[in-house]
Amino acid sequence: MKYLVTGCAGFIGYHLTKFLIKKNINVIGIDSINNYYDPQLKKDRLKDILKDKKKFKFYKVNLCHKNKLKRIFKKHKFDYIIHLAAQAGVRYSMKNPFSYIDNNILSTTNILELCKEKPPKKILFASSSSVYGLQKSKSFNENQNTNTPISFYAASKISMEAIAHSYSHLYNIPIKVLRLFTVYGPWGRPDMAYFNFTKKIIKNEKIDIFNRGDHFRDFTYVSDIIRFIDIILKKKVNKKFEILNLGSNNPKKLGLFIELIEKKLNKKSIKNYIEKQSGDMHGTHADMKKSINNYNLRYKVDLEKGINQFIDWYIDYKKIKKI
Ligand SMILES: NC(=O)c1ccc[n+]([C@@H]2O[C@H](COP(=O)([O-])OP(=O)(O)OC[C@H]3O[C@@H](n4cnc5c(N)ncnc54)[C@H](O)[C@@H]3O)[C@@H](O)[C@H]2O)c1
């Protein structure tokens, strides 16, 4: 069995690769190690993965380069592909939409083109809760339409989902689209609020809080996401194309998230309240009925425990002696 993990030096890709290697699975990882955020963190994640060289082979390749990708596909026959590489970030998509065309739309199409002749057993694609855009309902389910994105990031993920559906239909490729809801945890992304808040509270710097911390997110701990991915990879469900929400079904206000960081650090934040940013959704709430019915995906890690584990990692990784 051979698995391809794209974006293996990214936050979720790192955790998934470690998990698969531990289960004695051969993993080929691809990542361009781009500099959207500090590449040193990506290199450190890779260094940690590379401790087990026998089960892991890494290619520093940009998925936009179809010929390089073609060579990798010629050399390895993949049983499963988990495509996580992407340009993430809602706010950055206003500054640099073309990065989303390249890294989300073109990259995904390149992978699908290389799968159409001999499809793998399954391809999993990372999409996002942001595709629900202006939906007004209390929680988001997979049957709702996704034609009101409010950021270019969301628009690029909706495009990717549509492209994946067309390839699945035309070439009989089994595809699962995973709509991830605000994933957090150790080795996380420095561009995300919880990472930034922790860093600034420790340094006694002001934290910018949009919308008075009133918006809410379906925060999902990374180990739960990895467990869900493992179950989806293993279970046989007779559907060629499937879209699934992966969340906690337990939305919490950003304000509470900050309180829990303060509690763990035993330190108050200095708050700077600012307007809601355009492109940001007010709230996200994963309806998990379909994921539970089809795969029995049940969320485990509660928010306080998850935050504490992130902060323990952060203090250790940054070698912080005094808070
Ligand atoms: N973390 C979350 O909260 C969250 C929420 C919803 C969706 N997602 C999606 O999950 C996936 C993983 O997210 P993450 O948080 O681990 O992000 P990340 O930015 O940490 O990881 C993405 C990795 O992909 C790599 N990459 C980007 N473009 C590439 C390309 N063209 N070729 C090769 N490598 C490339 C980057 O260098 C990076 O290491 C992404 O598709 C993201 O959109 C994440």
Side-chain angles (χ1 to χ4, degrees):
M1 285 289 170
K2 214 176 246 186
Y3 288 51
L4 169 64
V5 177
T6 73
C8 64
F11 166 43
I12 301 171
Y14 157 81
H15 283 281
L16 179 66
T17 305
K18 286 273 285 184
F19 175 88
L20 294 172
I21 291 174
K22 237 188 195 159
K23 293 181 86 181
N24 234 11
I25 289 169
N26 287 309
V27 181
I28 306 297
I30 300 180
D31 202 297
S32 60
I33 320 276
N34 68 26
N35 57 7
Y36 166 61
Y37 59 78
D38 185 3
Q40 190 55 48
L41 177 57
K42 299 182 184 183
K43 289 178 193 159
D44 290 341
R45 291 182 187 129
L46 262 186
K47 207 163 118 193
D48 194 50
I49 300 172
L50 278 164
K51 281 180 195 154
D52 197 339
K53 282 206 177 92
K54 271 183 274 161
K55 291 280 156 203
F56 179 64
K57 180 152 181 52
F58 174 65
Y59 291 92
K60 184 173 183 295
V61 162
N62 188 327
L63 299 172
C64 296
H65 299 148
K66 197 175 165 203
N67 287 337
K68 288 188 187 165
L69 197 56
K70 207 172 176 177
R71 267 180 248 139
I72 300 173
F73 271 69
K74 228 176 169 176
K75 200 161 174 199
H76 305 278
K77 192 192 160 322
F78 298 116
D79 298 285
Y80 295 95
I81 296 177
I82 306 102
H83 176 43
L84 301 170
Q87 174 62 64
V90 165
R91 285 170 207 145
Y92 184 65
S93 68
M94 285 196 273
K95 274 198 213 146
N96 187 4
F98 293 102
S99 178
Y100 296 73
I101 300 268
D102 293 342
N103 298 307
N104 299 0
I105 300 176
L106 175 62
S107 293
T108 301
T109 311
N110 282 344
I111 290 186
L112 286 164
E113 268 296 294
L114 291 167
C115 288
K116 67 185 192 191
E117 272 171 33
K118 272 198 187 144
K121 292 188 176 70
K122 228 177 250 182
I123 309 184
L124 269 50
F125 281 106
S127 185
S128 158
S129 56
S130 64
V131 301
Y132 291 108
L134 289 177
Q135 280 289 347
K136 289 271 181 292
S137 56
K138 192 177 154 281
S139 63
F140 300 146
N141 78 61
E142 298 88 340
N143 291 328
Q144 285 164 339
N145 71 47
T146 53
N147 53 12
T148 53
I150 58 169
S151 69
F152 197 83
Y153 169 62
S156 75
K157 288 289 183 185
I158 294 167
S159 313
M160 196 204 79
E161 291 187 355
I163 291 167
H165 185 271
S166 71
Y167 271 79
S168 173
H169 177 77
L170 288 169
Y171 306 109
N172 221 14
I173 310 176
I175 293 178
K176 312 282 163 199
V177 167
L178 314 177
R179 291 184 178 159
L180 309 180
F181 283 68
T182 317
V183 189
Y184 74 101
W187 295 95
R189 269 179 28 214
D191 63 321
M192 291 182 73
Y194 70 95
F195 196 112
N196 205 19
F197 290 160
T198 303
K199 178 174 134 195
K200 291 195 164 165
I201 295 172
I202 291 174
K203 288 184 166 178
N204 298 316
E205 289 173 10
K206 259 189 203 155
I207 58 171
D208 287 340
I209 303 177
F210 302 116
N211 196 30
R212 299 201 71 80
D214 194 40
H215 43 296
F216 57 92
R217 291 285 177 271
D218 204 294
F219 294 106
T220 313
Y221 192 65
V222 67
S223 68
D224 277 313
I225 290 290
I226 303 305
R227 196 167 44 80
F228 291 169
I229 291 178
D230 182 46
I231 296 170
I232 295 165
L233 282 168
K234 280 199 280 205
K235 190 165 176 197
K236 242 185 141 43
V237 171
N238 263 346
K239 282 195 181 83
K240 260 293 153 258
F241 184 86
E242 213 178 9
I243 296 183
L244 296 161
N245 283 343
L246 298 192
S248 60
N249 182 22
N250 190 13
K252 294 278 192 277
K253 287 222 168 131
L254 195 71
L256 173 69
F257 205 91
I258 297 167
E259 279 170 29
L260 292 173
I261 297 175
E262 292 175 336
K263 184 175 167 198
K264 170 72 177 168
L265 292 173
N266 197 18
K267 192 170 184 179
K268 283 277 171 216
S269 59
I270 312 163
K271 297 183 182 68
N272 181 35
Y273 291 111
I274 43 185
E275 289 286 285
K276 185 166 168 259
Q277 298 284 291
S278 50
D280 267 2
M281 287 164 76
H282 178 68
T284 63
H285 179 175
D287 178 331
M288 288 292 286
K289 271 189 219 88
K290 185 176 174 187
S291 297
I292 291 173
N293 284 345
N294 294 3
Y295 294 90
N296 200 20
L297 304 183
R298 290 179 194 278
Y299 190 73
K300 279 188 185 160
V301 181
D302 90 284
L303 190 61
E304 183 161 6
K305 187 173 170 203
I307 289 175
N308 290 350
Q309 289 186 359
F310 165 73
I311 292 176
D312 285 341
W313 166 79
Y314 184 88
I315 289 170
D316 182 55
Y317 178 68
K318 298 279 181 189
K319 299 187 175 56
I320 293 168
K321 296 266 179 307
K322 199 169 161 268
I323 293 168

